[in-house]
Amino acid sequence: MNTNVIQINKNECVDFQIESSLSFRPLVEYLKGRLKTEKSVKSEFYRFLLEKIEKEKVLLNSIKAKDLVQHKDTLELIFTILTPLMDNEDDLFWALSTPVPDEIFFSTNAFYNFFKDHDPKNKVTKDSEPVEKKQLKFIYNIILNRFYNFTTVIKSEIIYGHVNEETKLTQYYNIQTDTKFVDIKYKGELPELNFEELGRHFQDDNELEYLLKHLPLKYFTFDGFSIISITDVTLQHSIDGIRDALVNHNYQTEAYTHVIQALKSLSGDGNLEFGLMPFLTVNNKLVFDHKEFSQSKLINSAKASNLEEEVFYSLVDKYKENPKAIFVSSINDDQITKDPFLRVLKEAGVCSYSVLPVYYNTQLAGVLEVYSDHEVIIDDKLLSRLRPAMPLIGQLFQYNIEDFNAKMDEVLMDKFTALQPSVQWKFNEAIWRFIQKNNGKAKINEIETVTFKKMYPLFGAIDIRNSTIERNRALKDDLNVLLSHLTLALKAIKKLVTLEITDKILFNCKDWIKRIGNLASSNDESQLNEFLTVEVYPFLSIIKANYPQTADAVDDYFKVIVPETGAAYANRRQLEVSMQLINTEVSQYLEKSQANLQASYPCYFAKFRTDGVEYDIYIGQEIAPNKPFDLLYLKNIRLWQLTSMVEIARLSKGLIGEMPFPLETTQLIFIHSNAIDISFRNDERRFDVEGAYNIRYEVVKKRIDKVLIKDKNERLTQPHKVSMVYFNPDEAKEYMEYIKYMQVEGYFNDDLEQLELEELQGVSGLSALRVGVKYLENKKETVKKLKAKEIESIEKEIASMMEN
């Protein structure tokens, strides 16, 4: 034990701010109180210490700290009674000081050496708060606690960070002051405090001004001594530092730097370095962004040694299959022969290297590297110090992974919009290379074009039979209704108001009724709309405003032309409801059906709305490079295409009873056996074919919907039939086998036709197969009936479209 006096504020001149005396009177009173209640053997020890203090009468009075050196044996007895018996004073940071800590007069050797060795210049956190202010806070904290049971001014602990000169690591200590042996007296009557007002001063950080005014220290006296203890809290402080990095959401370089520094302090070994390697993936394959997440020694060493990425990835993939802790205390030639990655580490100056797997919710999230340029043995003691940090590092890695995925999704939506899973993997790779090139800088690099080569195309079209004719018929019928009601309104107005202009408009109206039967173009429709907008509607509005007796006639007409409910739109509404019903049901069928198709082999499926529904399918090796492609999958999808067309024809026929405007569909397939190349057009956000020969395929499929049979004025596509257009007779042979099979299975009638087709613009040599769909007579078609609310919703949507 040490009785040398330590001046706490040795380098600063501090005015004492309260009357204070060092004495052992509070301890004496404490011992007397314990002797009245203590029945164990401790009572003898208390009695012995009490008698010794009373015998040394000087200890009962106020005493100078420097004079206590003569009473070392008594102080050692006090130490014994105030500390656990089994504590070793060489490891215990413990001391006695004046009531307001200014002088330490008795301490353990460990405490004395700590204070002597910790040069303030090595202090980590520089506290700019004046010593006088900190002392005032300490004094008022005790006063408010003792007299007012108020304890929120300041904590009685101080966290002290200090750089260890030997290890160069930061160590953290918790300094606590125990004042239970400090008596406080007040001269006079204790003032009352307004704690609501005091609370406001705490918030404004000027509570001391308030307290000095309402609770002046000149009326207080402190008597006794304080106990100071110091605890090494480096481990907990390091863990808190890692947690703070997570809370602050700095997941990349800045957070990694803080975490690595905390891990060094946690280890207590200045020779150790740490690396962080989250497992970022693109298409379930590991990628490493060494520019942004460069805190991995292995990644940086591999890049510096120009190690092929595939070799590196294979090593990590192999590790992921069997993740476990790896410890290499000293890298030697034999180990390098077995594990090539150790060579690049040794070239980077690494002598020992260890890897610890890091998990998040039981899933491997990355690894923690522990390495050094010295030989280091990772023991249980070090692992136990690192263990509390592992869950937090796992959380950090997970945040990192989520940020990376969010960045990928952001570029995906910006450059390509949402994509099908079957092709998204290739876009992910393009995005990854785009991010690497830009590396978080201004986006100066254009993203590469995504291309799939040697893809087999399939095209199908479900068209609504005579949709243009039906639409024109509905329009003419609606215009007849409109003009008929307009004629009635004008005649009613003529009976009530005598105006020459009424006859003129009525004449034009009758003329338009005659012309409606021969309405042939959108130009005629535009002229009629111009007549109504420019002449009729202003006339009706003025008549209604100036001649109130005409209001009923005018209002009746305007009710007729309301798109949502008016009779002048009834036919078009019914037609659009019918068309949407077919398109919705067909689209839903294709979506469900193609989802099952993807299970056999991934393919790209794109569906488009026209008057009916068209779709493109592309299948080939490049769309799923990890799954061997065989023509068997192409045959399977062609057979699916035929069977799905039959099911769609049956579905459409079953919907006729549900449609307010009965419509029929035709089913068309374009057969193309040669593989083509497709690429994604970033400007139009869709796939398109590449090359002159491939473009010919695109031209043909856009023109065959209206192709005629050679030497006949008959369209190839007909209701209740499936038509297949082709160039090559060999293609027809394959499909004829499918048709024969499907005829036996009850899909097709026995009426297969082989047809030659008329030449199209720029296209000749086309032929076709056509076969009738066999409907199920003994089994009622399963039809999804729309609910009244669904039909109402469709009608409102259509009316809105018509208004626009």
Side-chain angles (χ1 to χ4, degrees):
M1 302 297 292
N2 200 293
T3 54
N4 292 326
V5 176
I6 301 173
Q7 191 73 35
I8 293 178
N9 300 303
K10 59 183 178 180
N11 296 324
E12 302 180 57
C13 182
V14 180
D15 293 331
F16 217 72
Q17 302 175 84
I18 194 169
E19 184 180 340
S20 173
S21 59
L22 171 61
S23 81
F24 293 87
R25 286 185 289 265
L27 176 61
V28 169
E29 295 302 317
Y30 172 79
L31 293 173
K32 288 179 178 179
R34 288 297 300 271
L35 284 173
K36 293 178 181 179
T37 58
E38 187 63 53
K39 304 300 182 183
S40 68
V41 70
K42 290 181 182 179
S43 62
E44 296 300 322
F45 193 82
Y46 293 158
R47 187 174 288 107
F48 176 76
L49 176 58
L50 182 59
E51 290 173 355
K52 186 169 180 55
I53 293 174
E54 289 176 337
K55 184 177 180 180
E56 302 176 47
K57 295 183 180 179
V58 66
L59 296 179
L60 295 174
N61 302 313
S62 299
I63 190 170
K64 299 289 185 181
K66 62 183 181 179
D67 297 334
L68 285 168
V69 66
Q70 303 173 17
H71 304 277
K72 183 178 179 181
D73 54 344
T74 304
L75 293 177
E76 287 183 349
L77 287 173
I78 293 173
F79 165 76
T80 303
I81 202 172
L82 295 181
T83 60
L85 188 61
M86 299 303 293
D87 278 358
N88 186 344
E89 69 164 284
D90 291 332
D91 299 325
L92 184 65
F93 299 103
W94 187 92
L96 300 179
S97 78
T98 50
V100 178
D102 181 57
E103 293 179 309
I104 294 171
F105 57 85
F106 184 71
S107 61
T108 62
N109 291 331
F111 186 99
Y112 183 80
N113 292 332
F114 175 88
F115 192 90
K116 182 180 67 175
D117 295 342
H118 284 64
D119 192 324
K121 70 181 182 182
N122 291 333
K123 188 176 179 183
V124 174
T125 53
K126 305 299 181 183
D127 193 349
S128 60
E129 190 173 53
V131 174
E132 287 87 350
K133 187 173 183 180
K134 288 191 287 187
Q135 190 180 84
L136 276 176
K137 286 185 176 181
F138 175 84
I139 292 169
Y140 274 117
N141 182 55
I142 301 173
I143 291 172
L144 291 173
N145 184 28
R146 294 283 181 88
F147 293 100
Y148 298 96
N149 196 29
F150 189 87
T151 59
T152 60
V153 176
I154 186 174
K155 291 183 178 180
S156 60
E157 62 180 29
I158 300 171
I159 300 298
Y160 175 76
H162 196 274
V163 177
N164 186 306
E165 290 188 342
E166 181 179 346
T167 65
K168 303 303 179 183
L169 298 176
T170 303
Q171 293 174 284
Y172 294 92
Y173 301 91
N174 182 355
I175 304 175
Q176 292 182 302
T177 304
D178 185 349
T179 59
K180 72 169 122 185
F181 295 114
V182 176
D183 280 347
I184 306 174
K185 293 182 180 178
Y186 182 79
K187 302 170 186 177
E189 185 177 351
L190 195 69
E192 291 187 5
L193 295 178
N194 184 335
F195 286 97
E196 185 176 342
E197 185 178 355
L198 178 59
R200 290 196 294 270
H201 285 283
F202 281 140
Q203 294 177 357
D204 298 335
D205 196 30
N206 59 1
E207 70 277 5
L208 289 180
E209 289 81 352
Y210 176 86
L211 290 170
L212 286 168
K213 178 180 179 181
H214 293 86
L215 199 62
L217 294 181
K218 63 182 179 180
Y219 300 112
F220 288 93
T221 58
F222 278 36
D223 179 61
F225 63 90
S226 292
I227 305 168
I228 300 176
S229 60
I230 300 177
T231 307
D232 188 336
V233 292
T234 301
L235 294 180
Q236 185 57 48
H237 194 275
S238 299
I239 295 297
D240 290 342
I242 297 174
R243 187 176 288 110
D244 288 343
L246 295 176
V247 172
N248 292 332
H249 287 221
N250 297 320
Y251 308 138
Q252 279 118 29
T253 307
E254 184 180 349
Y256 279 24
T257 302
H258 289 311
V259 170
I260 288 173
Q261 190 58 45
L263 288 170
K264 289 182 180 179
S265 297
L266 202 59
S267 71
D269 189 340
N271 292 320
L272 288 182
E273 298 289 341
F274 293 87
L276 302 171
M277 186 195 300
F279 285 167
L280 310 178
T281 61
V282 173
N283 302 326
N284 296 320
K285 292 183 179 180
L286 287 168
V287 295
F288 297 95
D289 187 352
H290 63 286
K291 295 178 182 178
E292 188 168 359
F293 306 113
S294 58
Q295 303 298 328
S296 166
K297 187 64 177 178
L298 180 56
I299 292 176
N300 291 337
S301 301
K303 296 293 182 182
S305 297
N306 295 317
L307 183 69
E308 292 184 8
E309 285 192 355
E310 292 304 320
V311 175
F312 180 71
Y313 291 160
S314 65
L315 289 171
V316 181
D317 283 333
K318 185 177 180 181
Y319 177 82
K320 285 185 68 178
E321 294 174 2
N322 184 25
K324 60 182 179 180
I326 298 175
F327 304 103
V328 181
S329 58
S330 180
I331 300 175
N332 56 47
D333 293 338
D334 290 339
Q335 292 167 328
I336 290 175
T337 303
K338 297 177 183 178
D339 297 305
F341 76 92
L342 292 176
R343 174 181 56 80
V344 300
L345 287 169
K346 189 169 185 179
E347 290 175 355
V350 176
C351 178
S352 72
Y353 182 82
S354 299
V355 170
L356 303 176
V358 178
Y359 294 89
Y360 177 79
N361 285 349
T362 72
Q363 297 295 317
L364 185 66
V367 294
L368 171 66
E369 301 170 307
V370 186
Y371 62 95
S372 176
D373 55 4
H374 295 75
E375 183 175 336
V376 175
I377 298 176
I378 307 296
D379 55 16
D380 290 340
K381 182 178 179 181
L382 175 60
L383 291 176
S384 66
R385 293 170 71 92
L386 296 177
R387 191 169 292 116
M390 300 303 280
L392 296 175
I393 296 174
Q395 182 73 68
L396 177 67
F397 283 178
Q398 181 62 23
Y399 286 158
N400 212 162
I401 292 167
E402 290 174 357
D403 276 358
F404 176 77
N405 292 338
K407 184 184 293 185
M408 292 283 292
D409 290 341
E410 180 183 352
V411 177
L412 176 68
M413 295 302 293
D414 178 49
K415 299 296 182 181
F416 304 117
T417 69
L419 295 165
Q420 296 177 27
S422 61
V423 296
Q424 184 171 333
W425 65 269
K426 194 155 191 175
F427 288 85
N428 288 341
E429 290 183 352
I431 292 165
W432 167 237
R433 288 188 286 271
F434 175 76
I435 291 174
Q436 278 188 308
K437 289 178 182 177
N438 287 283
N439 193 31
K441 301 175 184 176
K443 296 182 179 179
I444 55 175
N445 294 302
E446 285 297 324
I447 200 160
E448 66 188 66
T449 300
V450 174
T451 301
F452 292 91
K453 295 184 178 297
K454 296 183 178 179
M455 305 299 295
Y456 291 94
L458 296 94
F459 172 76
I462 298 91
D463 192 26
I464 295 175
R465 180 65 167 173
N466 296 330
S467 57
T468 303
I469 295 173
E470 297 294 349
R471 187 176 280 110
N472 287 337
R473 183 183 301 164
L475 174 61
K476 290 178 181 179
D477 290 343
D478 282 341
L479 292 179
N480 271 318
V481 172
L482 181 148
L483 292 169
S484 297
H485 280 80
L486 177 58
T487 300
L488 293 175
L490 291 171
K491 287 180 177 179
I493 292 170
K494 185 178 179 180
K495 292 179 180 179
L496 299 171
V497 179
T498 303
L499 290 172
E500 295 295 330
I501 190 67
T502 307
D503 291 326
K504 194 267 183 187
I505 295 175
L506 187 57
F507 171 81
N508 289 343
C509 184
K510 291 178 179 179
D511 182 56
W512 269 109
I513 290 176
K514 295 177 183 178
R515 294 172 60 183
I516 285 299
N518 298 317
L519 196 68
S521 66
S522 58
N523 184 50
D524 293 333
E525 185 181 353
S526 297
Q527 290 180 13
L528 174 58
N529 286 332
E530 184 179 352
F531 163 66
L532 295 171
T533 304
V534 175
E535 294 189 44
V536 176
Y537 298 155
F539 167 77
L540 294 178
S541 298
I542 294 171
I543 289 295
K544 178 182 176 182
N546 294 327
Y547 303 96
Q549 64 271 32
T550 65
D552 289 343
V554 174
D555 289 343
D556 286 345
Y557 170 72
F558 278 115
K559 287 179 183 178
V560 170
I561 62 172
V562 175
E564 293 89 346
T565 57
Y569 284 88
N571 290 286
R572 280 173 286 179
R573 283 200 307 270
Q574 290 180 350
L575 176 62
E576 293 298 331
V577 167
S578 299
M579 292 178 69
Q580 286 212 15
L581 177 58
I582 290 176
N583 287 339
T584 299
E585 293 298 318
V586 171
S587 292
Q588 289 178 354
Y589 172 83
L590 287 173
E591 287 294 336
K592 292 178 182 178
S593 183
Q594 72 93 15
N596 295 330
L597 188 67
Q598 297 279 2
S600 61
Y601 195 90
C603 60
Y604 178 76
F605 185 97
K607 180 165 52 66
F608 313 98
R609 284 281 185 97
T610 56
D611 274 350
V613 178
E614 295 180 358
Y615 63 82
D616 282 315
I617 302 176
Y618 299 103
I619 187 171
Q621 182 64 74
E622 279 210 1
I623 212 162
N626 296 325
K627 185 174 183 178
F629 177 75
D630 190 274
L631 291 178
L632 171 69
Y633 297 115
L634 177 60
K635 293 180 179 180
N636 179 68
I637 201 170
R638 285 173 172 171
L639 182 58
W640 167 85
Q641 189 180 26
L642 275 175
T643 56
S644 66
M645 285 299 191
V646 173
E647 296 298 341
I648 289 171
R650 290 173 175 175
L651 175 64
S652 301
K653 184 174 183 293
L655 289 172
I656 289 178
E658 303 298 317
M659 288 185 279
F661 206 106
L663 297 172
E664 294 181 315
T665 63
T666 63
Q667 292 68 228
L668 174 65
I669 292 172
F670 179 35
I671 305 169
H672 188 84
S673 295
N674 296 322
I676 63 176
D677 298 342
I678 60 172
S679 60
F680 190 84
R681 294 187 59 173
N682 296 344
D683 53 346
E684 296 184 10
R685 306 295 176 92
R686 66 178 181 85
F687 276 103
D688 205 352
V689 296
E690 284 193 341
Y693 179 78
N694 296 338
I695 292 173
R696 185 167 179 261
Y697 162 79
E698 195 73 21
V699 170
V700 172
K701 77 174 191 180
K702 289 181 178 179
R703 295 180 180 174
I704 57 175
D705 61 325
K706 294 180 175 60
V707 68
L708 301 176
I709 298 173
K710 191 172 183 180
D711 300 329
K712 293 185 180 181
N713 189 24
E714 178 188 343
R715 288 268 291 271
L716 169 66
T717 54
Q718 297 292 331
H720 318 303
K721 292 181 180 291
V722 176
S723 302
M724 293 149 274
V725 177
Y726 63 90
F727 277 109
N728 190 336
D730 291 335
E731 296 170 337
K733 290 179 182 179
E734 180 182 341
Y735 275 79
M736 287 173 70
E737 292 179 7
Y738 300 147
I739 293 169
K740 184 177 180 180
Y741 160 74
M742 293 177 64
Q743 286 172 334
V744 174
E745 293 295 317
Y747 286 92
F748 287 132
N749 295 321
D750 188 15
D751 59 354
L752 176 62
E753 301 173 87
Q754 298 185 50
L755 306 168
E756 290 186 37
L757 304 180
E758 293 280 3
E759 288 189 7
L760 298 173
Q761 183 182 356
V763 181
S764 61
L766 288 175
S767 300
L769 300 175
R770 189 168 68 182
V771 62
V773 174
K774 190 171 186 176
Y775 294 106
L776 306 177
E777 297 178 357
N778 298 325
K779 182 178 179 182
K780 188 176 180 180
E781 300 286 351
T782 303
V783 179
K784 176 187 174 185
K785 295 188 177 182
L786 291 182
K787 297 178 182 178
K789 289 185 177 179
E790 292 177 313
I791 294 176
E792 183 180 349
S793 176
I794 293 175
E795 288 178 337
K796 287 182 179 179
E797 181 182 349
I798 292 165
S800 177
M801 292 166 56
M802 289 178 173
E803 279 186 320
N804 297 328

